[in-house]
Amino acid sequence: MTAVGVSDVQITTSRLGTALVALEVNCQRNRQVAAIRQALRLIFPIILLGSLADFIDQAWLQRTGYFYQTLHVATWVLQLKVLRQYLRLISAGTLGLAAILMAFAVSFYLVAPVTRQATNRLMAGMTAVISLKFFNVSRPSVLGLRAIKWASANLGLQGILMGILIGLLVGNSYRWFLVRHETTGLTGPFLLMSGWLLGTTALGLLWVTTQTVSLNAAFVSAIQWPFRLPHFILGLLGYSGLTSLYAWLGVLEPITPSGQTVATAQNLEAVLNHAGWQLPHPVTLHTVVDVYANFGGTGMLLGLVLAILLVHGHTQHHAVAWLSLVPTLGNFGAPLMVGLPVMLSPILGIPFLLAPLACISVSWLCLRLAWVPAVAYPLLTGTPGPLLAFLGTGGSWTALVLGLVNLALSTAIYYPFVKWHVQAQAQTAGEVADDDPRN
Amino acid sequence: MTHAIKRGFIVVLGLLVLLSLPGFLWRPQQRSEVRSHYQTLMAPVFLVPGSSATQNRFNALVKELNRETPATHSLLRVEVKTTGQLVYTGRIQPGDTRPFIVVGFQNHHDGAQNILKQAKWFALAFNALQKTYKFNHFSAMGHSNGGLVLTLFMENSLDQRAVRANRLMTIATPFNLEEDDATVDTPLFKMLEAGRQRLPRQLVVYSIAGSKTFTGDGIVPFDSVNRGKYLFQDQVKGFTQITVTGANANHADLPENQQIVALIRQDLLS
């Protein structure tokens, strides 16, 4: 059914396809977007390594991990604790610094086309990093005139958007200045950099004296507010849509409050203490969104991987898909978001929003009509997407079938958009991937 | 080209099936695995008064603890008769996950023999409550000999496979009774010491001593409270000793002492 639907869509909406390809090409040619995309490509290997470390730590070495439980890892892995310490350090050094790396790279790539000097480019990047840090500093240490402590929370995947914004701000102002005054020697870069830093230090101090938390923490709590509304206002679709939108903009870690809700706890209690599978709350965010619309991470990215492998053409898509495969199978979506990038791409943004919404609608209907039982058991990190519902319901085959239907549905939704994305990519190939310093 | 790509698609699907295999094989064990780590929403806080005090001993304390907390916790009082019969007053509100349950005894006299009996009676009440409310973890606070009752219960009568003890707070509990001579071990202390290895490993213990004079709180010698370390240290997950002085530091006033109320909030209820 899905295959026929897809080919129909392609024939009837080729005009839509052309329009979208044009939009994507224009967007990619935009100077700001181009710099961000180059920066994302730069940090992709780092994000990939960090995601792999996170995946192994959480899915293989923790009690709530899928492979830990099913393969009885505790019985055969030696030095589990040392291994976890090692992997967590890798994760902190890669994913944990993502915002800083992005601030540097975005600023660097914005300045790169207008100056031939590596020092100016590097200085623009470093200034962005320092500016970001001025807004992420421990308040008591500054106000109490003690040794300065930098705040390192919220500089990871959640902070990528903030890193991009600071990078754009610094990079553009550097660029504006460099276009007018080509600086050479030592005085020029010194004056430019110190002008910037004196300014941002003053702003940072102003921030610290008036605000109690770091800029990144304030940003995260600001975008969290809609999630604190009562459930019925946003509903399942609203939650999913907002989460996808944030992820598409560069908040790559879920910011919704985690932890067991009362409804989830009551569901588990009902299943464990009473015979049969009667749940007091069959439809919750957990039983629908977490279980049926999160394969491969936010946005059903597992469907995107499958769609890419079905489309032929552009090899870079395939390379990214294969490289990101392991974390994506464990529902860690960050490498794919950064690698393609799905982030800030208009064409891929549409299915990224729509695929989870479609899966949620289908699953909601099935739950409402009681065709599938709702999940009650705790979910294990790293469980392959379609298996989440099967294990969550204690082995319901209909739930497994629904999971597979959702996977097929999301692949079908991604498929035409991936085709268009490949077309757009082919048109812009060679235009922006320009980091040869001789230019 | 097309052929190779279709093959990639098949490979990923095959990988999905392969990764799902351990899940299918593990599923029969899932229920027992979930059950073994399952923690009930309800985790009551047991309060056991000292000798000569009844199940109404902590009414004022609970009132005080319920002040300044967003959700007030309900109070259930149980009196165990010498025949083993249980008399309930008060009730647990539906949905209250941290109710206070005070267990008092009809025979609330001092003395080693009575304390041993009280520990048995407490186990009786505990098992009945556990059967009724189906909690599988709890915390407890004992004042004076109430702390001895709880320690004896945890050593001898707690079924650690079914119920997990989270935290224990003892307030002015005389682990060596009222023995003033620090070189003398009472039989009850020897008994507690012999059974210390049966204490729950994951338990976190706080022992609070009141200090009115330099040697005690007026009734219990400081040395006797201090002996808690010989029971808990290196046996449980954490053991903290706290000494409280100032106003209301004599033995009977301790449960209403503001510092101790703050400690209960911070260490037992948080």
Side-chain angles (χ1 to χ4, degrees):
Chain A
M1 165 234 158
T2 47
V4 176
V6 169
S7 55
D8 283 351
V9 166
Q10 273 183 287
I11 294 160
T12 51
T13 59
S14 59
R15 195 181 295 170
L16 171 67
T18 332
L20 282 176
V21 170
L23 176 68
E24 177 82 22
V25 169
N26 282 334
C27 185
Q28 288 188 18
R29 283 187 181 145
N30 177 288
R31 186 199 300 151
Q32 316 288 325
V33 176
I36 296 170
R37 288 171 59 90
Q38 277 176 301
L40 288 172
R41 196 173 306 152
L42 177 74
I43 70 164
F44 169 64
I46 296 171
I47 299 294
L48 179 58
L49 181 69
S51 297
L52 279 169
D54 250 10
F55 166 69
I56 296 172
D57 177 34
Q58 291 184 28
W60 289 81
L61 305 181
Q62 288 189 37
R63 199 183 59 71
T64 51
Y66 170 73
F67 297 100
Y68 182 95
Q69 289 281 351
T70 59
L71 298 178
H72 310 282
V73 167
T75 56
W76 53 268
V77 164
L78 304 169
Q79 298 296 337
L80 198 111
K81 201 174 171 191
V82 177
L83 210 54
R84 282 200 58 200
Q85 290 162 345
Y86 180 66
L87 290 169
R88 283 170 64 88
L89 199 55
I90 293 179
S91 165
T94 50
L95 303 183
L97 300 179
I100 295 178
L101 300 175
M102 275 309 281
F104 180 91
V106 168
S107 182
F108 178 94
Y109 281 121
L110 270 175
V111 171
V114 297
T115 173
R116 308 178 70 143
Q117 290 187 359
T119 48
N120 281 334
R121 298 173 176 186
L122 291 170
M123 195 56 91
M126 290 193 291
T127 310
V129 170
I130 297 169
S131 304
L132 183 65
K133 289 306 286 184
F134 279 145
F135 294 94
N136 289 280
V137 62
S138 146
R139 184 170 196 253
S141 72
V142 177
L143 299 186
L145 296 177
R146 288 196 291 274
I148 299 290
K149 284 202 191 83
W150 300 107
S152 58
N154 302 307
L155 288 177
L157 291 174
Q158 285 184 345
I160 283 189
L161 177 56
M162 196 38 93
I164 290 178
L165 292 178
I166 297 275
L168 287 178
L169 196 68
V170 176
N172 280 315
S173 65
Y174 252 74
R175 188 187 169 98
W176 180 86
F177 186 83
L178 286 174
V179 167
R180 279 152 192 79
H181 316 275
E182 179 65 20
T183 57
T184 46
L186 286 174
T187 8
F190 169 74
L191 286 175
L192 185 55
M193 180 274 304
S194 48
W196 240 104
L197 286 192
L198 292 175
T200 43
T201 315
L203 285 176
L205 187 60
L206 188 67
W207 176 273
V208 162
T209 37
T210 54
Q211 305 293 317
T212 50
V213 292
S214 72
L215 178 66
N216 283 47
F219 170 73
V220 167
S221 63
I223 60 174
Q224 252 172 357
W225 76 262
F227 292 110
R228 298 209 185 92
L229 294 172
H231 278 206
F232 61 90
I233 295 179
L234 277 173
L236 299 173
L237 298 179
Y239 265 86
S240 169
L242 205 57
T243 311
S244 296
L245 180 69
Y246 284 159
W248 184 76
L249 285 171
V251 184
L252 292 188
E253 230 167 15
I255 53 161
T256 40
S258 60
Q260 200 184 34
T261 63
V262 174
T264 310
Q266 286 175 347
N267 279 350
L268 181 59
E269 187 158 26
V271 168
L272 285 180
N273 293 333
H274 304 280
W277 196 272
Q278 293 296 322
L279 269 62
H281 313 279
V283 176
T284 65
L285 275 177
H286 178 71
T287 59
V288 182
V289 181
D290 292 353
V291 179
Y292 289 110
N294 225 8
F295 304 175
T298 305
M300 293 293 283
L301 290 175
L302 195 55
L304 174 59
V305 168
L306 290 175
I308 289 173
L309 294 175
L310 279 177
V311 172
H312 45 86
H314 214 275
T315 49
Q316 200 200 321
H317 284 78
H318 289 261
V320 172
W322 282 116
L323 281 173
S324 317
L325 185 63
V326 172
T328 309
L329 282 171
N331 307 327
F332 288 75
L336 215 54
M337 295 299 292
V338 171
L340 272 179
V342 179
M343 261 177 67
L344 301 174
S345 155
I347 285 190
L348 291 179
I350 297 169
F352 185 70
L353 197 72
L354 290 184
L357 295 186
C359 294
I360 288 168
S361 308
V362 170
S363 315
W364 176 84
L365 197 69
C366 291
L367 279 169
R368 268 272 165 254
L369 297 174
W371 288 349
V372 292
V375 292
Y377 287 155
L379 303 177
L380 301 174
T381 318
T383 308
L387 204 66
L388 280 169
F390 178 76
L391 288 182
T393 53
S396 154
W397 293 101
T398 47
L400 180 65
V401 170
L402 179 59
L404 292 172
V405 167
N406 282 332
L407 184 61
L409 183 65
S410 57
T411 310
I413 291 175
Y414 268 111
Y415 183 78
F417 292 93
V418 171
K419 276 199 143 176
W420 294 327
H421 193 252
V422 170
Q423 281 178 31
Q425 208 75 336
Q427 286 187 30
T428 55
E431 284 181 21
V432 285
D434 212 358
D435 40 0
D436 187 346
R438 282 165 300 180
N439 290 323
Chain B
M1 185 80 179
T2 316
H3 198 68
I5 283 147
K6 287 278 153 61
R7 204 164 57 204
F9 181 75
I10 303 292
V11 166
V12 171
L13 288 186
L15 215 57
L16 255 175
V17 174
L18 188 72
L19 292 180
S20 303
L21 280 182
F24 285 114
L25 294 177
W26 170 77
R27 209 203 58 72
Q29 298 160 245
Q30 184 183 22
R31 195 175 171 88
S32 64
E33 182 62 41
V34 171
R35 195 176 275 285
S36 69
H37 291 288
Y38 167 67
Q39 293 225 314
T40 46
L41 272 180
M42 185 195 262
V45 179
F46 282 88
L47 305 176
V48 182
S51 297
S52 318
T54 67
Q55 62 279 5
N56 290 313
R57 173 68 173 87
F58 293 125
N59 289 358
L61 172 69
V62 169
K63 208 171 168 186
E64 182 66 32
L65 286 171
N66 270 336
R67 210 200 308 267
E68 290 178 31
T69 44
T72 59
H73 295 298
S74 35
L75 172 62
L76 176 69
R77 288 175 297 255
V78 186
E79 187 192 10
V80 192
K81 299 284 186 190
T82 43
T83 56
Q85 188 204 348
L86 304 175
V87 182
Y88 299 94
T89 46
R91 62 191 286 260
I92 294 180
Q93 304 284 344
D96 187 356
T97 54
R98 294 280 177 284
F100 294 109
I101 302 178
V102 181
V103 179
F105 311 99
Q106 186 188 21
N107 167 7
H108 45 64
H109 301 300
D110 199 353
Q113 289 314 309
N114 286 323
I115 292 168
L116 287 172
K117 277 185 200 161
Q118 287 158 9
K120 295 235 162 61
W121 286 322
F122 178 82
L124 212 69
F126 183 90
N127 290 336
L129 288 161
Q130 201 263 330
K131 206 176 253 175
T132 311
Y133 294 106
K134 295 195 171 51
F135 54 87
N136 70 0
H137 56 144
F138 72 101
S139 292
M141 185 276 271
H143 176 220
S144 187
N145 286 350
L148 291 176
V149 169
L150 285 167
T151 313
L152 282 166
F153 165 73
M154 291 199 185
E155 283 187 1
N156 302 324
S157 316
L158 176 65
D159 179 5
Q160 291 184 33
R161 280 162 309 167
V163 193
R164 181 189 162 112
N166 296 334
R167 298 180 203 192
L168 169 66
M169 181 176 275
T170 62
I171 299 175
T173 294
F175 294 101
N176 201 21
L177 296 179
E178 277 81 48
E179 182 59 58
D180 282 319
D181 188 347
T183 56
V184 177
D185 293 352
T186 60
L188 188 71
F189 175 76
K190 283 182 187 159
M191 193 179 180
L192 284 168
E193 199 185 22
R196 70 184 192 279
Q197 290 186 337
R198 293 193 298 268
L199 285 165
R201 283 255 150 221
Q202 77 292 338
L203 183 68
V204 174
V205 182
Y206 297 89
S207 168
I208 300 177
S211 187
K212 188 77 183 166
T213 65
F214 286 112
T215 53
D217 59 18
I219 291 182
V220 170
F222 181 71
D223 174 69
S224 181
V225 179
N226 193 27
R227 288 209 171 202
K229 68 185 175 194
Y230 298 117
L231 307 180
F232 297 110
Q233 203 170 308
D234 288 336
Q235 297 300 322
V236 296
K237 188 172 153 196
F239 174 62
T240 310
Q241 264 187 310
I242 303 160
T243 305
V244 173
T245 63
N248 283 339
N250 54 322
H251 189 78
D253 293 340
L254 287 173
E256 284 78 33
N257 178 309
Q258 281 304 314
Q259 289 182 72
I260 291 182
V261 170
L263 287 170
I264 293 175
R265 253 200 210 114
Q266 171 191 314
D267 296 328
L268 195 66
L269 306 181
S270 64

